[in-house]
Amino acid sequence: MCDKHDTPAAMFQPNDDTQASRRRRLWELSHACHCPLVGVGFPLGVLRKLVDKVTSGKVVADDYEVHVGAVTECGSRNRLSEALQKELERRYAAVLLRFRAAKTTEQVAAMWRVAVANGDVAGAFWAGLTHPRCSAELEEQMCRDLHMVQHQAGACVRADIGKFNATLAENARLAHDLNKAQQRGAALLAEKTADAERHAVQLMQLRAQAVGKDSMIDSLRTELEQLRQSIPGLESRAKLAERLAQMEERERALRNQIVELKVEAMRAAEPAAPIQEETRQVVEHVMKMPLRLSDRSVLCVGGRSGNVATYRELIEREGAQFSHHDGGLEDNANRLDASLAAADLVICQTGCISHSAYWRVKDYCKRNGKRCVFIDNPSISSLARGLEQAGAE
């Protein structure tokens, strides 16, 4: 704030009714009001622009010299003071209109206090000082209040500068951290981009391999079809080969049966009484076993064809139903599954059936939970032991 010059504000008094009924001009205010009015009423840029315009040239003085010169010129009516007056009227027209509603000094003072409380003093200072009801005491009070407001504003500015500097330091730190984060993000993005490109290349390679394998499969299928067409009767040959294997299996079984028949023939040449006695004892033994064959179906697979009648007698005397399948020697092998499905108990004489029939019986009984007793000898005594084993389970 500039030093006070000339007459203090307390010496200013309206001398006539004309002066008391109109607003005062800038040069009519006490010089003590000019310094704070110029300081708060004009931004430095606006003040310098007005001075340049009035002087028709660029002012080379610093901001303080421009301020002091403007305050000095406000003491009288001249081109600069008139320009300042006009700018103040234009800039604070709205505030002037609001203060026009005040009809007494107390009302002007009250409106000034509200402006100070709100922190909007520039326009109110000009409107209050130039108001017709502004007394010398109110003018002095307004200058005092503005002086303290400027001190407080300076303290706030210093605090704001400190906060601003701290904010700048924090901003610099955050900018540094942001730069590092951006660098890390760029590195990660580059890494992910490289991974994506590598995966894309691998995907293309896998797709190419898949296409190549599909082409190879199609080629092999075409070649296989050509081979099939080049060999007439290939399917019938495969069936004939399967049939041949079945015939060979049956041939082996027949040879085994021939050997057994020869052995039986040799035994038949011996006295028959001991054999019959043995058979009778076996039958009696079977009849005494605690079998639970009543109303059951018993399937005998394999065995000597000459013993089938004895097999039937042994089983049917216990109230069971007897069925027989020779294991594929004479009976149709396809009927074996149906016979197995209808039986409650299966007696499989492994020495007198084909290998395929043996495996079919074993696999079927295992899959379906069918009780099955395997006998390695086709004699009646072996059958009796098998029945005894089945009855004991």
Side-chain angles (χ1 to χ4, degrees), residues 34-326:
H34 292 155
C35 180
L37 183 58
V38 173
V40 300
F42 299 97
L44 285 174
V46 175
L47 181 62
R48 182 177 289 274
K49 184 177 180 180
L50 289 173
V51 174
D52 289 344
K53 184 177 180 180
V54 171
T55 58
S56 301
K58 185 174 180 61
V59 178
V60 297
D62 58 21
D63 293 338
Y64 177 77
E65 291 175 346
V66 171
H67 174 78
V68 172
V71 170
T72 302
E73 294 298 318
C74 288
S76 61
R77 184 172 184 174
N78 52 63
R79 290 182 60 194
L80 180 58
S81 61
E82 288 179 349
L84 296 177
Q85 167 78 24
K86 184 178 180 180
E87 177 64 21
L88 287 171
E89 291 291 299
R90 184 195 65 80
R91 182 178 292 270
Y92 302 113
V95 183
L96 291 171
L97 183 62
R98 189 169 66 248
F99 267 73
R100 186 179 299 176
K103 303 302 181 182
T104 63
T105 302
E106 289 74 12
Q107 291 178 348
V108 176
M111 297 182 71
W112 166 250
R113 287 191 294 271
V114 171
V116 172
N118 293 334
D120 184 15
V121 297
F125 191 61
W126 169 247
L129 289 177
T130 59
H131 196 278
R133 297 293 179 262
C134 179
S135 63
E137 291 78 7
L138 179 56
E139 179 180 300
E140 184 175 359
Q141 184 62 46
M142 291 176 63
C143 290
R144 291 178 179 180
D145 292 341
L146 184 61
H147 182 81
M148 297 308 299
V149 168
Q150 289 177 327
H151 278 300
Q152 293 173 2
C156 292
V157 168
R158 288 192 295 272
D160 290 341
I161 290 175
K163 292 180 181 179
F164 179 73
N165 291 332
T167 303
L168 286 178
E170 178 68 12
N171 183 66
R173 185 185 66 79
L174 292 175
H176 180 69
D177 294 343
L178 177 61
N179 185 39
K180 286 187 176 180
Q182 289 175 341
Q183 291 178 356
R184 290 194 300 269
L188 289 174
L189 180 60
E191 182 179 355
K192 294 300 181 182
T193 302
D195 291 342
E197 292 177 353
R198 185 170 62 255
H199 292 159
V201 172
Q202 293 176 354
L203 180 61
M204 292 179 62
Q205 293 175 351
L206 291 175
R207 287 177 176 174
Q209 293 176 3
V211 171
K213 290 181 179 180
D214 291 341
S215 301
M216 182 178 293
I217 291 173
D218 293 338
S219 176
L220 291 175
R221 285 176 178 173
T222 304
E223 184 177 354
L224 178 60
E225 186 63 26
Q226 292 175 353
L227 288 174
R228 285 176 177 174
Q229 294 177 359
S230 64
I231 303 176
L234 179 61
E235 184 175 357
S236 60
R237 291 184 183 184
K239 291 181 179 179
L240 289 174
E242 182 180 359
R243 180 64 177 168
L244 178 60
Q246 293 177 355
M247 295 297 293
E248 290 177 351
E249 183 67 27
R250 184 173 181 181
E251 180 185 1
R252 284 193 295 270
L254 289 174
R255 287 178 180 177
N256 292 334
Q257 188 176 5
I258 291 171
V259 172
E260 291 178 357
L261 291 174
K262 289 182 179 179
V263 172
E264 288 184 4
M266 292 175 63
R267 290 179 179 177
E270 297 178 358
I275 297 177
Q276 295 176 355
E277 179 65 22
E278 179 184 358
T279 302
R280 185 184 61 79
Q281 293 176 358
V282 168
V283 172
E284 291 179 355
H285 175 72
V286 172
M287 296 300 104
K288 295 178 182 179
M289 291 188 304
L291 296 177
R292 295 185 297 276
L293 300 178
S294 179
D295 297 328
R296 299 294 181 92
S297 177
V298 179
L299 172 65
C300 182
V301 182
R304 296 191 185 101
S305 58
N307 293 338
V308 173
T310 306
Y311 300 159
R312 183 184 298 276
E313 180 181 2
L314 289 175
I315 293 173
E316 289 184 349
R317 283 187 180 182
E318 291 301 316
Q321 296 178 0
F322 174 80
S323 60
H324 179 261
H325 193 285
D326 65 3

Side-chain angles (χ1 to χ4, degrees), residues 322-374:
F322 174 80
S323 60
H324 179 261
H325 193 285
D326 65 3
L329 299 179
E330 294 292 342
D331 296 332
N332 191 339
N334 293 329
R335 292 179 51 250
L336 182 57
D337 288 344
S339 300
L340 290 170
D344 297 314
L345 172 66
V346 179
I347 303 295
C348 181
Q349 303 201 33
T350 59
C352 299
I353 61 173
S354 65
H355 289 288
S356 61
Y358 168 77
W359 287 112
R360 289 179 68 177
V361 170
K362 186 174 183 180
D363 179 68
Y364 184 91
C365 293
K366 182 177 181 181
R367 286 188 293 103
N368 295 278
K370 188 81 68 176
R371 179 180 294 181
C372 182
V373 178
F374 293 93

